[in-house]
Amino acid sequence: MREVWVITACLALVDATSIQYNDEDVAPETEKEFYRVQGDLYSLCRIKLLRLAYLIGYGTEIERSPVNSASLSMLPWPKPAVWPSVPDDATSEVVVKEKMILQETPRVKHFGIQRKPLPLEPTILVREANRRRSSLSVGNSSEIFYGRVEFNDGLAADVPAKMPQADKAHEFMMSRTYSSPGNFDCSIGRPMRLAEIFVAAERALKKTISNPDLQKILSSVENFEQKYMELTKGAADNYHHSWWKRYGVVLDGEIAAVCFKRGNFDLAAKSYEKVCALYAGEGWEDLLAEVLPSLAECQKSLNDEAGYLLSCVRLLSLDKGLFLSKERQAFQSEVVSLAHNEMTNHVPLDVSSLITFSGNPGPPMALCDGDTGTLSVTVWSGFPDDITLDSLTLTFMATYNADEGGKLRNSNATVLKPGRNTITFPLPPQKPGSYVLGVLTGHIGQLTFRSHSFSKGGPADSDDFMSYEKPTRPILKVFKPRPLADLSASISSALLINETQWIGIIAQPINYSLKGAVLHIDTGPGLMIEESHSIEMESNKKAGHGSVGTANSGDATKDSSVAAKDCSPAADKHFEQLCLVSGKIEFPDWASDVSSILWIPIRAIDDKLARGSSSGAPEKQSIVDRMRTIALKLEFGISKNQIYDTTIALHFSDPFHVSTRVANQCNDSTLLLQVVTLHSQVNATLSVYDAWLDLHDGFTHAGQGNGRPISAFFPLVISPSSRAGLLFCLCLEKRTAEDENNVPPENILNIRYEIAGDRTIGAHPPVTMKSNENAEDTSKNLVFRSALVLQQPVLSPCLAVGFLPLPSDSIRVGQLVTMKWRVERLKDIEEKRVPQNNDKMLYEINANSDKWMIAGRKRGHVSLDMKQGSRIVISILCMPLVAGYIHPPHLGLPGIDEVSITCSPAGCHLVRVLPPAPSSSFCVPA
C-alpha cells in the first residue's frame, strides 16, 4: 500500500505543478530548482514502480543495470506481519509464474562477456515472505526455488541454462506437484515459493490499487514497460534542465537499454555514447565496463566501423581485472579481424590509451648536423596478445617550435608483444636543435592508428605503459655545425724545390669518428704527386691533449691523448702504407679516433733558374714566391655526408741564396777576387762537396783556374739559417764600347751538395735518396745552379751617413726628442749611367718598439743631388719609453748596398735616457 500511495502521490504532484508552472516569470535559478524537484519526483515514482513490478514477477523484464540495482537495493523491503497468502483459486496463476521463471534466460552480452548479474531485487525477499514460517523444515532448496539457487551472499543465479533437460523437466513436474495446498500434509502452512509470492502479491495489489491507470500499468509487461519508459524519460528530461545534468545522462543510459532491447540501435547508441563519456570522464571504470559492451554491439549493428573499433580499444584500455583474459582476447581479435577483412576504407583511430612509447632512459641521443643514426624507442602495448603492425611511423618535434621535426618510418612488419617492446628506427639527418617525441602512427590492415607519447624516461625495467607522471624530456639533440675534423700541414718551413719531398698532412678528428673516411687530393699548378711511391700514414706522436671522439651515437668519448703523449717503445704506434687511387685515399680503421699524419711524396716544379744578388745580404722575397697549394676534401661520417674542405699552402725554396761582392782589386786592375756567399734557406744541414763557376763573355778565370773556388775545405757544412763563403779568382776581359752598353751576361754557379734533414721539420733528402745508399757516391748528390751578374767593383763608398748629436743630454722618458742624420754624397754620379729622377733616395727608420715610439714618418723618399758633396738632413720625432742606456733608432737606406755606405759612428752606440721627472701627484704626506 505504501508503494502504491507514493506512486499515486508523485504522479498527482507532477501533474498539478506542471499545470500551474509558468517558466516565463521565474529566475533561472528557480527554474532549474523546479526541474530538479520534478526530476526527483519522476525518479522516485520510477523506483517505486520497479518495486511493484518485481513483486508481481516482472523482474525479468527490468534491465539489470547498475542504476536500477543500486536504486532498488538501497530501499527497505516491506515487512508486513503476515505476508499475503495464496488464494485457493490461484493454482493456474502460480503455474504461469513458474513457467515465466523457468523460461527466463539471461541475454548473452556481446563478445561472450560473462558477468555475474547485478542484484535488482532485495536479497531478503523470500526470507521476509516466509519469516513467520521459519520454524518449519523447508526441505531441499529445489522445492522452494525449483530452478533457482540461492548463494551464500543471498544473490540468486539462474541455473536452467546449465542444467540438463531431464533435470529441468523433473523440477518443473515437482513444482506443479507441490504447488497445490492439498498436497502438503502439515497443520502449519508450508514455506511459500517464489512463484507463490508473486501471485500473492499481485492479488493483494489488485485489492489495494484503486487507480485504474495504475492497475492497467501492472496488468501486462507491455504496459509496464511503456510506463517505465515514460517515467524514465520524464526524470531524464527534467534533470537535463536542472542543476543535475549528470543524473539525466545516467537515466539516458536506462532509456538506451530499453531501446537496445527493442532493436532501436540508433537511439541506443547516441545515449550510450553520452553515458560512456560521463563514466570515462569520472573514472568510473566498473560502470563503464557494464555499458561499453552494449554500445559496441549497437555500433556493430549499425555498421559504424570507426565507432566500433574505438569501443573495442576502450574496452582493452580498461583495467585488466574487469574482464577475463579470453574476453580481452576477443576484443583484440575483433580489432584485427575488422582491420584486415571487413573494413572498406581507412579508419583513423586514437590508441594513445593502449599504445604509448618513449625514448630510452639516460642522456638523449647526440648527433652532429648532417649525420644519420639509429634511434631506439620503447613501446608499451596494452593488447593481451601479440599484434602485428604492418607499418610504423614515429614523429618528433623540435622544442623551440610546434612543428614536427621529422618522421621515422619502419616499413617492415613489426610484432608488438604485451608490455615492453624496443623498436629501432633509421634516423635521417635533422636540423640542429633539441627534439622530443611526438606521435606514433601506423597501419593494421585498413586501420590507421595514432598514439601520443609523453617522452617519459622511466626505469629500464618498468612495464608501466600508462605512467603519465614523467615530464617531457629531449630524446635527440642535433648540434649546430662545428668543426668535426681538421687537416693541416705538419711543417711550415721551406721544402726543396724541384725535388721529391715528403709533405705531412695532419688529420685530426675533433670529438668525432673518422671511420671509413676518404681523403681527396687535388694538386695545384706546378705541383705533382709522385704516384710511383706509396703514401705513408702513421699516428701523430705530437698530438697533445686534443681528444677525439667515437661514432656519433652519443657513446662516451675516447681520449687518445695518453697514447699520443706516450713515446715509449711499448706505446701503441700505428704505421701503414696506402695507395692513391683516382686521387683518393681511404683511411684505415685505426685512424678513426686518433690524430694521424699522412706523408705524401710531392714534387714542386719551377723551370726558372735561381738568380743571385750583388748585395751582401739576401734579398727579401715575396711571401707568395714559390708557394704551392694543394686542395684537400675529407669525406667522413656514417653516410659520408660530412665534408671538410681546405686548401693548404706549401712553401718551397732553393737550398741557397747566392750573393756576390768584390773583395779586392790588384794594382793593374786586371785581377779580381770575387766572393760568393751562400745563405742557407732551409731548416736542414747542407754539405757542399763541389762548386764551379761557368763564366760568360767579359770574365775569365785567373791563371790556370778551372772555375773551382780557391778552397781546400770540401765538404763544406752549412748549418740551418747560416752562411758560408767561396772565393773565386777572376779577370776582366777587354770589352768594346758596344758591349759596355749591353746588360752584363749571366754567369752560372754550380754547387754539388747533399742535404741532411728531417721531414717532420722541413727540407730533407728526396724520396729517391731516402735509402741505405752510400753517401760518398757522388752520383747521388744534388746539384744547385744559380745565375750571377758580375759587375765592376765599387771599392770605395759613395755615401756617408752620420748621426748628429742630440740637442741635450737630459733626455727623459715620455718627452719628445728629435733625432737627426746627415747624408752626404762622396762621389759624382754621371746622369747618363742612371735612370731619370734617380736622385730620389729611399730611407727607413728602424727602432725597437718596446723602447721607442716613433711620432714621425718612418719610411719615405728624399732628394739628394748627384754631385759630390751634396748633403741632406733627415730628422724624425720620437719618444723614449724606458730609462737607461739604450740604442737609438737606426737610419737605413734599403736601395743602396751596405758596402757603398760609410757610417759615423761606425759601430753601435748608446744614448742615456733619464727617468721621468717627479710629479707632486705621486707625493704622499708623512
Side-chain angles (χ1 to χ4, degrees), residues 234-406:
D237 293 341
N238 281 279
Y239 280 139
H240 280 305
H241 290 84
S242 69
W243 309 96
W244 295 356
K245 297 183 182 296
R246 295 195 305 175
Y247 282 27
V249 175
V250 173
L251 292 177
D252 284 339
E254 302 305 313
I255 298 174
V258 178
C259 294
F260 178 75
K261 187 173 68 172
R262 292 177 178 178
N264 193 348
F265 299 115
D266 191 9
L267 292 177
K270 293 179 180 179
S271 298
Y272 275 139
E273 287 176 357
K274 293 189 292 184
V275 177
C276 291
L278 174 63
Y279 291 166
E282 296 294 336
W284 299 335
E285 291 197 350
D286 289 350
L287 297 178
L288 188 59
E290 294 287 338
V291 182
L292 194 54
S294 300
L295 173 60
E297 190 170 352
C298 291
Q299 292 168 336
K300 186 174 183 180
S301 301
L302 295 172
N303 293 324
D304 182 8
E305 296 176 345
Y308 181 57
L309 284 173
L310 179 60
S311 297
C312 293
V313 170
R314 293 174 69 182
L315 286 169
L316 288 170
S317 303
L318 295 178
D319 187 80
K320 296 179 181 179
L322 296 176
F323 297 101
L324 300 176
S325 297
K326 62 179 182 179
E327 294 171 353
R328 300 186 75 247
Q329 291 172 355
F331 302 157
Q332 178 177 341
S333 62
E334 282 291 309
V335 173
V336 175
S337 175
L338 190 60
H340 285 283
N341 299 327
E342 302 177 14
M343 294 177 60
T344 56
N345 300 314
H346 281 283
V347 175
L349 185 64
D350 184 2
V351 294
S352 57
S353 59
L354 200 58
I355 296 179
T356 58
F357 62 103
S358 75
N360 289 327
M365 180 180 177
L367 291 178
C368 292
D369 181 36
D371 269 349
T372 59
T374 301
L375 181 64
S376 178
V377 178
T378 301
V379 179
W380 287 268
S381 172
F383 288 95
D385 287 336
D386 294 354
I387 187 167
T388 302
L389 310 180
D390 297 335
S391 65
L392 205 59
T393 302
L394 173 67
T395 62
F396 48 93
M397 301 177 296
T399 55
Y400 52 82
N401 56 30
D403 298 334
E404 291 185 351

Side-chain angles (χ1 to χ4, degrees), residues 826-843:
L826 302 179
K827 290 182 178 180
D828 290 334
I829 298 179
E830 298 179 5
E831 295 184 2
K832 64 179 181 179
R833 291 183 174 272
V834 297
Q836 190 177 4
N837 296 330
N838 200 33
D839 58 344
K840 294 291 185 180
M841 183 175 58
L842 178 66
Y843 75 92

